[in-house]
Amino acid sequence: NAGVMQNPRHLVRRRGQEARLRCSPMKGHSHVYWYRQLPEEGLKFMVYLQKENIIDESGMPKERFSAEFPKEGPSILRIQQVVRGDSAAYFCASSPRLVGYTFGSGTRLTVV
Amino acid sequence: DQQVKQNSPSLSVQEGRISILNCDYTNSMFDYFLWYKKYPAEGPTFLISISSIKDKNEDGRFTVFLNKSAKHLSLHIVPSQPGDSAVYFCAASEDGGTSYGKLTFGQGTILTVHP
């Protein structure tokens, strides 16, 4: 049973481009969470999704960021018009229930 | 507004000795606490958790202590091993076990265990 798969592992984007981060949850997991870790900081909650539904997006920046978890396929975190401050490690986690989830290895986004 | 704080950025310990990592929180609604371990270029890995109805939980070499009145928890690792060298994050959630699992993390403590 593969763990939570995130790709790409590393992503470099120029300012103004779009970044798409993908997360495939563990088999049987229907809850997905996205966290962001800025340099020298802890992980910060961004969004919680279940299949086809956004449950809590209280940690998402109001603009340029969006997330989805379609019925088929991975969860996608999308950042439009990236800026240098978006450079961070983005972690996805999945869970079969409400607490106790497994993290992926993360996507390291660098905006140049 | 840092609701979960790990005030020690780093800790260095000799192999075989005890490692004690500390965490303080301010939100009295937190009632479930977790410790995660993270190696470079990997995601956090769950270590141990504790509900607010307990003051201690033990799992092998790892013990977590919770002092609700002081809003303080600590992770004890005995004996420490070089493989324990990693970043340790304290995390907290509200309505533990019944919430949707949103976690608030501390900044992390880098533990180095010397052979």
Side-chain angles (χ1 to χ4, degrees):
Chain A
N1 184 14
V4 177
M5 303 301 292
Q6 289 188 249
N7 67 82
R9 290 295 303 272
H10 300 276
L11 181 62
V12 179
R13 284 287 176 267
R14 295 186 186 280
R15 281 178 294 171
Q17 291 185 320
E18 177 180 287
R20 281 183 167 243
L21 288 64
R22 294 175 184 77
C23 170
S24 296
M26 291 182 68
K27 187 177 180 182
H29 288 195
S30 58
H31 304 254
V32 166
Y33 309 81
W34 285 93
Y35 285 79
R36 175 166 68 172
Q37 184 183 20
L38 295 169
E40 309 300 324
E41 293 187 16
L43 284 76
K44 297 280 195 287
F45 170 80
M46 298 182 75
V47 63
Y48 162 52
L49 311 103
Q50 292 185 23
K51 283 286 187 182
E52 300 183 278
N53 288 305
I54 296 175
I55 307 302
D56 182 347
E57 57 182 348
S58 59
M60 290 279 270
K62 295 288 183 255
E63 298 178 348
R64 303 187 296 107
F65 285 72
S66 62
E68 63 176 9
F69 187 17
K71 186 176 179 181
E72 301 290 339
S75 175
I76 305 288
L77 179 67
R78 182 182 176 202
I79 311 172
Q80 295 179 290
Q81 299 175 319
V82 296
V83 301
R84 287 229 170 101
D86 297 331
S87 295
Y90 291 82
F91 292 97
C92 168
S94 74
S95 172
R97 59 189 188 281
L98 297 177
V99 178
Y101 38 70
T102 302
F103 280 92
S105 296
T107 293
R108 276 134 193 94
L109 172 66
T110 301
V111 179
V112 297
Chain B
D1 178 25
Q2 190 71 29
Q3 298 185 64
V4 177
K5 295 182 183 179
Q6 294 176 254
N7 291 317
S8 297
S10 62
L11 175 67
S12 184
V13 171
Q14 203 71 26
E15 181 179 6
R17 307 294 285 265
I18 184 171
S19 294
I20 301 176
L21 297 104
N22 294 303
C23 178
D24 297 295
Y25 61 96
T26 58
N27 186 346
S28 56
M29 298 298 293
F30 288 146
D31 61 1
Y32 194 74
F33 303 90
L34 308 93
W35 283 94
Y36 283 84
K37 175 180 179 180
K38 184 181 180 303
Y39 292 117
E42 294 184 12
T45 303
F46 170 76
L47 266 180
I48 192 168
S49 63
I50 187 167
S51 166
S52 60
I53 63 173
K54 294 186 175 182
D55 54 20
K56 177 183 174 181
N57 188 27
E58 192 172 353
D59 183 2
R61 296 186 299 115
F62 302 93
T63 303
V64 56
F65 296 90
L66 175 62
N67 182 335
K68 288 188 293 294
S69 60
K71 292 191 176 67
H72 176 83
L73 64 155
S74 61
L75 174 68
H76 292 210
I77 306 174
V78 182
S80 301
Q81 299 173 354
D84 296 330
S85 297
V87 180
Y88 288 78
F89 289 100
C90 167
S93 78
E94 300 179 27
D95 304 320
T98 59
S99 76
Y100 50 74
K102 170 183 173 181
L103 296 179
T104 301
F105 281 83
Q107 311 96 304
T109 297
I110 301 170
L111 173 65
T112 304
V113 180
H114 299 283

PDB file of all heavy atoms in Angstrom, chain B residues 86-102:
ATOM      1  N   ALA B  86      16.622  14.521  14.256  1.00  0.00           N
ATOM      2  CA  ALA B  86      15.594  14.961  13.311  1.00  0.00           C
ATOM      3  C   ALA B  86      14.994  16.254  13.854  1.00  0.00           C
ATOM      4  O   ALA B  86      15.383  16.736  14.925  1.00  0.00           O
ATOM      5  CB  ALA B  86      14.505  13.904  13.164  1.00  0.00           C
ATOM      6  N   VAL B  87      14.035  16.784  13.135  1.00  0.00           N
ATOM      7  CA  VAL B  87      13.247  17.913  13.649  1.00  0.00           C
ATOM      8  C   VAL B  87      11.971  17.354  14.265  1.00  0.00           C
ATOM      9  O   VAL B  87      11.300  16.510  13.655  1.00  0.00           O
ATOM     10  CB  VAL B  87      12.882  18.917  12.539  1.00  0.00           C
ATOM     11  CG1 VAL B  87      12.072  20.082  13.119  1.00  0.00           C
ATOM     12  CG2 VAL B  87      14.134  19.429  11.849  1.00  0.00           C
ATOM     13  N   TYR B  88      11.648  17.792  15.455  1.00  0.00           N
ATOM     14  CA  TYR B  88      10.450  17.323  16.158  1.00  0.00           C
ATOM     15  C   TYR B  88       9.446  18.455  16.255  1.00  0.00           C
ATOM     16  O   TYR B  88       9.755  19.561  16.717  1.00  0.00           O
ATOM     17  CB  TYR B  88      10.816  16.817  17.560  1.00  0.00           C
ATOM     18  CG  TYR B  88      11.555  15.507  17.502  1.00  0.00           C
ATOM     19  CD1 TYR B  88      12.906  15.466  17.158  1.00  0.00           C
ATOM     20  CD2 TYR B  88      10.895  14.299  17.746  1.00  0.00           C
ATOM     21  CE1 TYR B  88      13.580  14.260  17.062  1.00  0.00           C
ATOM     22  CE2 TYR B  88      11.565  13.092  17.659  1.00  0.00           C
ATOM     23  CZ  TYR B  88      12.908  13.083  17.315  1.00  0.00           C
ATOM     24  OH  TYR B  88      13.574  11.884  17.216  1.00  0.00           O
ATOM     25  N   PHE B  89       8.238  18.159  15.803  1.00  0.00           N
ATOM     26  CA  PHE B  89       7.159  19.143  15.835  1.00  0.00           C
ATOM     27  C   PHE B  89       6.093  18.703  16.826  1.00  0.00           C
ATOM     28  O   PHE B  89       5.650  17.553  16.826  1.00  0.00           O
ATOM     29  CB  PHE B  89       6.507  19.281  14.461  1.00  0.00           C
ATOM     30  CG  PHE B  89       7.360  19.953  13.428  1.00  0.00           C
ATOM     31  CD1 PHE B  89       8.046  19.209  12.489  1.00  0.00           C
ATOM     32  CD2 PHE B  89       7.464  21.334  13.386  1.00  0.00           C
ATOM     33  CE1 PHE B  89       8.838  19.826  11.524  1.00  0.00           C
ATOM     34  CE2 PHE B  89       8.251  21.956  12.424  1.00  0.00           C
ATOM     35  CZ  PHE B  89       8.942  21.185  11.503  1.00  0.00           C
ATOM     36  N   CYS B  90       5.677  19.638  17.621  1.00  0.00           N
ATOM     37  CA  CYS B  90       4.520  19.486  18.477  1.00  0.00           C
ATOM     38  C   CYS B  90       3.314  20.011  17.706  1.00  0.00           C
ATOM     39  O   CYS B  90       3.432  21.001  16.959  1.00  0.00           O
ATOM     40  CB  CYS B  90       4.776  20.316  19.737  1.00  0.00           C
ATOM     41  SG  CYS B  90       3.384  20.584  20.788  1.00  0.00           S
ATOM     42  N   ALA B  91       2.160  19.352  17.835  1.00  0.00           N
ATOM     43  CA  ALA B  91       0.957  19.806  17.138  1.00  0.00           C
ATOM     44  C   ALA B  91      -0.247  19.626  18.048  1.00  0.00           C
ATOM     45  O   ALA B  91      -0.228  18.778  18.953  1.00  0.00           O
ATOM     46  CB  ALA B  91       0.764  19.036  15.839  1.00  0.00           C
ATOM     47  N   ALA B  92      -1.282  20.410  17.801  1.00  0.00           N
ATOM     48  CA  ALA B  92      -2.467  20.355  18.646  1.00  0.00           C
ATOM     49  C   ALA B  92      -3.716  20.488  17.809  1.00  0.00           C
ATOM     50  O   ALA B  92      -3.708  21.120  16.741  1.00  0.00           O
ATOM     51  CB  ALA B  92      -2.420  21.473  19.690  1.00  0.00           C
ATOM     52  N   SER B  93      -4.803  19.876  18.282  1.00  0.00           N
ATOM     53  CA  SER B  93      -6.087  20.036  17.600  1.00  0.00           C
ATOM     54  C   SER B  93      -7.191  20.243  18.628  1.00  0.00           C
ATOM     55  O   SER B  93      -7.030  19.911  19.803  1.00  0.00           O
ATOM     56  CB  SER B  93      -6.398  18.841  16.705  1.00  0.00           C
ATOM     57  OG  SER B  93      -6.869  17.750  17.463  1.00  0.00           O
ATOM     58  N   GLU B  94      -8.298  20.777  18.170  1.00  0.00           N
ATOM     59  CA  GLU B  94      -9.476  20.965  19.017  1.00  0.00           C
ATOM     60  C   GLU B  94     -10.404  19.770  18.811  1.00  0.00           C
ATOM     61  O   GLU B  94     -10.463  19.184  17.749  1.00  0.00           O
ATOM     62  CB  GLU B  94     -10.186  22.259  18.629  1.00  0.00           C
ATOM     63  CG  GLU B  94      -9.329  23.499  18.771  1.00  0.00           C
ATOM     64  CD  GLU B  94     -10.053  24.746  18.349  1.00  0.00           C
ATOM     65  OE1 GLU B  94     -11.297  24.781  18.433  1.00  0.00           O
ATOM     66  OE2 GLU B  94      -9.379  25.704  17.926  1.00  0.00           O
ATOM     67  N   ASP B  95     -11.180  19.425  19.821  1.00  0.00           N
ATOM     68  CA  ASP B  95     -12.148  18.335  19.704  1.00  0.00           C
ATOM     69  C   ASP B  95     -11.484  17.073  19.203  1.00  0.00           C
ATOM     70  O   ASP B  95     -11.954  16.438  18.267  1.00  0.00           O
ATOM     71  CB  ASP B  95     -13.287  18.714  18.751  1.00  0.00           C
ATOM     72  CG  ASP B  95     -13.967  20.004  19.181  1.00  0.00           C
ATOM     73  OD1 ASP B  95     -14.153  20.163  20.393  1.00  0.00           O
ATOM     74  OD2 ASP B  95     -14.269  20.826  18.319  1.00  0.00           O
ATOM     75  N   GLY B  96     -10.368  16.726  19.823  1.00  0.00           N
ATOM     76  CA  GLY B  96      -9.596  15.570  19.382  1.00  0.00           C
ATOM     77  C   GLY B  96     -10.430  14.324  19.230  1.00  0.00           C
ATOM     78  O   GLY B  96     -11.206  13.957  20.107  1.00  0.00           O
ATOM     79  N   GLY B  97     -10.276  13.643  18.123  1.00  0.00           N
ATOM     80  CA  GLY B  97     -11.000  12.408  17.883  1.00  0.00           C
ATOM     81  C   GLY B  97     -12.333  12.634  17.225  1.00  0.00           C
ATOM     82  O   GLY B  97     -12.881  11.732  16.610  1.00  0.00           O
ATOM     83  N   THR B  98     -12.858  13.834  17.328  1.00  0.00           N
ATOM     84  CA  THR B  98     -14.150  14.104  16.702  1.00  0.00           C
ATOM     85  C   THR B  98     -14.065  15.262  15.719  1.00  0.00           C
ATOM     86  O   THR B  98     -15.007  15.539  15.033  1.00  0.00           O
ATOM     87  CB  THR B  98     -15.221  14.451  17.748  1.00  0.00           C
ATOM     88  OG1 THR B  98     -14.792  15.613  18.478  1.00  0.00           O
ATOM     89  CG2 THR B  98     -15.397  13.301  18.715  1.00  0.00           C
ATOM     90  N   SER B  99     -12.920  15.937  15.700  1.00  0.00           N
ATOM     91  CA  SER B  99     -12.777  17.066  14.775  1.00  0.00           C
ATOM     92  C   SER B  99     -12.367  16.553  13.403  1.00  0.00           C
ATOM     93  O   SER B  99     -12.131  15.368  13.204  1.00  0.00           O
ATOM     94  CB  SER B  99     -11.720  18.045  15.269  1.00  0.00           C
ATOM     95  OG  SER B  99     -10.437  17.516  15.017  1.00  0.00           O
ATOM     96  N   TYR B 100     -12.258  17.448  12.486  1.00  0.00           N
ATOM     97  CA  TYR B 100     -11.797  17.041  11.164  1.00  0.00           C
ATOM     98  C   TYR B 100     -10.291  16.996  11.080  1.00  0.00           C
ATOM     99  O   TYR B 100      -9.744  16.830  10.027  1.00  0.00           O
ATOM    100  CB  TYR B 100     -12.372  17.960  10.097  1.00  0.00           C
ATOM    101  CG  TYR B 100     -12.200  19.425  10.374  1.00  0.00           C
ATOM    102  CD1 TYR B 100     -10.969  20.035  10.240  1.00  0.00           C
ATOM    103  CD2 TYR B 100     -13.294  20.190  10.764  1.00  0.00           C
ATOM    104  CE1 TYR B 100     -10.816  21.380  10.495  1.00  0.00           C
ATOM    105  CE2 TYR B 100     -13.145  21.542  11.022  1.00  0.00           C
ATOM    106  CZ  TYR B 100     -11.903  22.141  10.883  1.00  0.00           C
ATOM    107  OH  TYR B 100     -11.777  23.465  11.131  1.00  0.00           O
ATOM    108  N   GLY B 101      -9.621  17.164  12.202  1.00  0.00           N
ATOM    109  CA  GLY B 101      -8.205  16.894  12.217  1.00  0.00           C
ATOM    110  C   GLY B 101      -7.297  18.023  11.828  1.00  0.00           C
ATOM    111  O   GLY B 101      -6.131  17.793  11.547  1.00  0.00           O
ATOM    112  N   LYS B 102      -7.784  19.244  11.794  1.00  0.00           N
ATOM    113  CA  LYS B 102      -6.903  20.378  11.505  1.00  0.00           C
ATOM    114  C   LYS B 102      -5.912  20.515  12.648  1.00  0.00           C
ATOM    115  O   LYS B 102      -6.282  20.537  13.817  1.00  0.00           O
ATOM    116  CB  LYS B 102      -7.749  21.650  11.390  1.00  0.00           C
ATOM    117  CG  LYS B 102      -6.950  22.938  11.324  1.00  0.00           C
ATOM    118  CD  LYS B 102      -7.900  24.117  11.285  1.00  0.00           C
ATOM    119  CE  LYS B 102      -7.180  25.432  11.390  1.00  0.00           C
ATOM    120  NZ  LYS B 102      -8.120  26.566  11.372  1.00  0.00           N
TER     121      LYS B 102
END
